[in-house]
Amino acid sequence: MNVYDSARIADVLAPLGYAPTDDPAAADMIILNTCHIREKAAEKVYSELGRLRPLKDRPGTRNGRVMIAVAGCVAQAEGEEILRRTPFVDIVLGPQTYHRLPEMVARAERAAGAVLDTDFPADPKFDHLPGPAAGAEGSSAFLTVQEGCDKFCTFCVVPYTRGAEYSRAVADVLREARCYASAGVREITLLGQNVNCFHGEAPGGGEWGLGRLIAEVAEIEGIERIRYTTSYPADMDDALIAAHRDVPELMPFLHLPVQSGSDRVLAAMNRRHGSDDYRRLVDRLRAARPDLALSSDFIIGFPGETDGDFRATLELVKDVEFTSAYSFKYSPRPGTPASLEDQVDDAVKSERLAELQSLLDEQQKRFNDRCIGREMTVLFDRPGRHPGQLVGRSPYMQAVHAQAPRPLLGSLQPVMITAGSANSLSGTLTDRAVA
Ligand code: SAH
């Protein structure tokens, strides 16, 4: 979601004459778009700001100094604290106010002091964003359809940093999707903190859920692949499950965070489902789409997690056969209820995390091996490291390397998979490949 937000921040600043650069030392303005989900991500902000400090006084910049802004969820959570610890920061803005950046920049240019804007405006930012810059998204684009969260999992800061749950209107989403399609985007990933609780205002009145929205995005000329992330298991409704059966553009890969396989831990996390509910849900999804591959998120060492609880997580991983996953040590977050209770020793967390990750790695390798000898459609989205090579994504999100002429960049092509490693596949274009 921060990738999406950063692209919109660039859109908002474009009319002021700002354009992105890859070189911080050449920049007139540097914006850190930050994440607060775990402590490590939040800490990085201050060390990164320390590294940027020497760039501040570069001569010849458009404002007489390099403007430094901190955006995103760390900005939302820490606000004034950032200005106190790093007084050379000019602008601090939360994830819901970046449409106001032009005014903040103007104020920062005029004023001696810093500008702080961490409101949750009643009028959502989406109503004020300019359209995306033509061609800026490449062949695959993110599109935020839902934001914020009202679930209050006991480990999670999202409700406090991104704010209350909100869905964009369907017409607004479709307009943006068409705009990407006409700029050459072939794959759209619909985004939300809990994207499957999407309930956007429908064009003819009433509301649509995510399943209906996906079917409509699939109708857009040029959109050949649809994905969505991140989903909350308890919000998977029948219409969305049916979309996995009925919409061929919806890719057979689903990221469905479960966090733990222990019912006791799931209850303490306030997840609103047990581990067998999750197993049954996976069965229903696979009945709808038999080749569905699943990935997940896991939190290891949630307060009070026993060895038995951890074994239950390993059992669930074995039962579902995830093809990839993200796993994290529990990180206590300010203001969340779980941060106060009976913490698990860090050495124990590390041990459990390593055991889980080695099981997940095995499953990923096994899945990659099973792909050898199959033909897959690959969306080539970047040049490879070797000359004449392109890299793309399979329907299951695996990276696929193949020798392919440059004009195939940005297109979907049939590839015969010939080899698999832990993290990627390689193959050869079949003779049906066309530019
Ligand atoms: N909406 C998703 C959560 C997205 S946050 C859901 O309902 O599951 C992305 C991931 O970060 C989470 O799935 C979780 O695994 C991890 N995470 C969130 N808070 C965390 C914390 N306090 N410590 C460790 N990992 C955390």
Side-chain angles (χ1 to χ4, degrees):
M1 190 170 273
N2 270 13
V3 171
Y4 176 86
D5 287 342
S6 296
R8 303 291 74 77
I9 287 174
D11 295 342
V12 163
L13 291 176
L16 277 66
Y18 288 98
T21 169
D22 288 332
D23 178 11
D28 290 306
M29 183 181 332
I30 298 173
I31 304 172
L32 296 185
N33 197 10
T34 61
C35 177
H36 203 237
I37 197 81
R38 285 175 293 279
E39 192 178 3
K40 220 171 171 175
E43 269 170 10
K44 269 196 222 158
V45 177
Y46 290 104
S47 58
E48 196 60 35
L49 283 170
R51 260 197 297 281
L52 294 173
R53 171 77 191 85
L55 299 179
K56 185 84 199 168
D57 305 315
R58 182 169 66 82
T61 60
R62 68 186 256 172
N63 298 303
R65 66 185 190 283
V66 174
M67 291 256 194
I68 296 185
V70 181
C73 291
V74 176
Q76 187 66 43
E78 309 244 314
E80 298 276 0
E81 178 68 8
I82 295 178
L83 297 177
R84 200 184 58 76
R85 280 179 64 177
T86 47
F88 55 89
V89 166
D90 299 279
I91 301 172
V92 173
L93 71 153
Q96 305 307 348
T97 57
Y98 57 72
H99 57 294
R100 297 178 182 162
L101 249 176
E103 293 155 58
M104 294 181 219
V105 172
R107 265 163 60 207
E109 277 168 0
R110 281 195 309 270
V115 176
L116 174 76
D117 189 347
T118 49
D119 279 0
F120 288 111
D123 199 10
K125 65 180 177 243
F126 296 107
D127 297 348
H128 302 275
L129 295 175
E137 310 288 333
S139 53
S140 183
F142 290 123
L143 201 176
T144 294
V145 301
Q146 181 278 337
E147 224 184 300
C149 188
D150 296 342
K151 299 288 196 268
F152 294 93
C153 297
T154 55
F155 54 82
C156 191
V157 284
V158 166
Y160 313 100
T161 54
R162 286 269 172 184
E165 203 273 307
Y166 168 80
S167 293
R168 291 174 74 180
V170 168
D172 191 20
V173 171
L174 295 177
R175 192 178 323 112
E176 191 169 326
R178 283 191 202 101
C179 184
Y180 292 138
S182 59
V185 167
R186 296 289 157 262
E187 174 181 87
I188 288 189
T189 302
L190 304 173
L191 292 182
Q193 260 86 33
N194 279 318
V195 70
N196 59 336
C197 79
F198 174 84
H199 55 98
E201 183 194 322
E207 285 183 346
W208 286 6
L210 188 65
R212 180 82 199 270
L213 180 73
I214 286 170
E216 205 67 22
V217 173
E219 294 297 312
I220 297 174
E221 179 78 32
I223 298 304
E224 298 180 65
R225 285 182 163 187
I226 300 170
R227 305 179 185 278
Y228 61 93
T229 202
T230 297
S231 298
Y232 183 75
D235 281 340
M236 292 299 292
D237 64 14
D238 294 345
L240 183 54
I241 294 172
H244 282 276
R245 181 190 63 215
D246 300 334
V247 182
E249 290 83 355
L250 183 56
M251 290 291 99
F253 175 83
L254 179 61
H255 183 68
L256 193 59
V258 63
Q259 316 299 357
S260 170
S262 152
D263 290 334
R264 213 177 57 80
V265 172
L266 288 169
M269 287 176 166
N270 188 30
R271 290 293 283 182
R272 307 170 203 215
H273 64 81
S275 63
D276 282 341
D277 299 322
Y278 188 87
R279 286 180 177 86
R280 275 197 294 274
L281 176 58
V282 169
D283 289 343
R284 288 174 63 211
L285 282 157
R286 285 190 168 140
R289 181 82 204 224
D291 65 336
L292 189 76
L294 283 144
S295 83
S296 202
D297 289 343
F298 296 92
I299 295 177
I300 294 310
F302 182 81
E305 183 191 73
T306 62
D307 198 55
D309 293 322
F310 175 61
R311 299 288 137 205
T313 299
L314 296 177
E315 279 315 303
L316 180 70
V317 169
K318 287 180 194 150
D319 289 348
V320 176
E321 273 268 350
F322 294 100
T323 61
S324 66
Y326 299 98
S327 43
F328 315 98
K329 285 190 214 174
Y330 170 72
S331 165
R333 307 307 296 128
T336 59
S339 62
L340 304 172
E341 299 153 20
D342 125 52
Q343 301 294 324
V344 175
D345 189 65
D346 193 59
V348 174
K349 283 189 198 169
S350 300
E351 229 169 81
R352 289 180 188 164
L353 186 67
E355 188 175 348
L356 173 71
Q357 290 184 340
S358 95
L359 175 62
L360 289 164
D361 288 350
E362 251 170 61
Q363 296 189 344
Q364 181 167 347
K365 176 76 171 73
R366 201 151 52 224
F367 180 64
N368 287 352
D369 285 344
R370 278 208 307 272
C371 294
I372 299 169
R374 284 179 59 183
E375 187 183 307
M376 285 183 174
T377 307
V378 174
L379 176 57
F380 286 118
D381 55 7
R382 63 200 145 103
R385 250 180 290 142
H386 303 293
Q389 192 186 58
L390 296 181
V391 188
R393 293 272 168 193
S394 77
Y396 308 103
M397 282 294 267
Q398 297 141 300
V400 183
H401 303 252
Q403 289 300 117
R406 194 71 185 226
L408 298 192
L409 204 57
S411 70
L412 287 137
Q413 300 293 341
V415 173
M416 178 56 73
I417 304 302
T418 53
S421 69
N423 297 312
S424 67
L425 301 175
S426 47
T428 49
L429 281 177
T430 74
D431 48 18
R432 287 183 298 102
V434 275

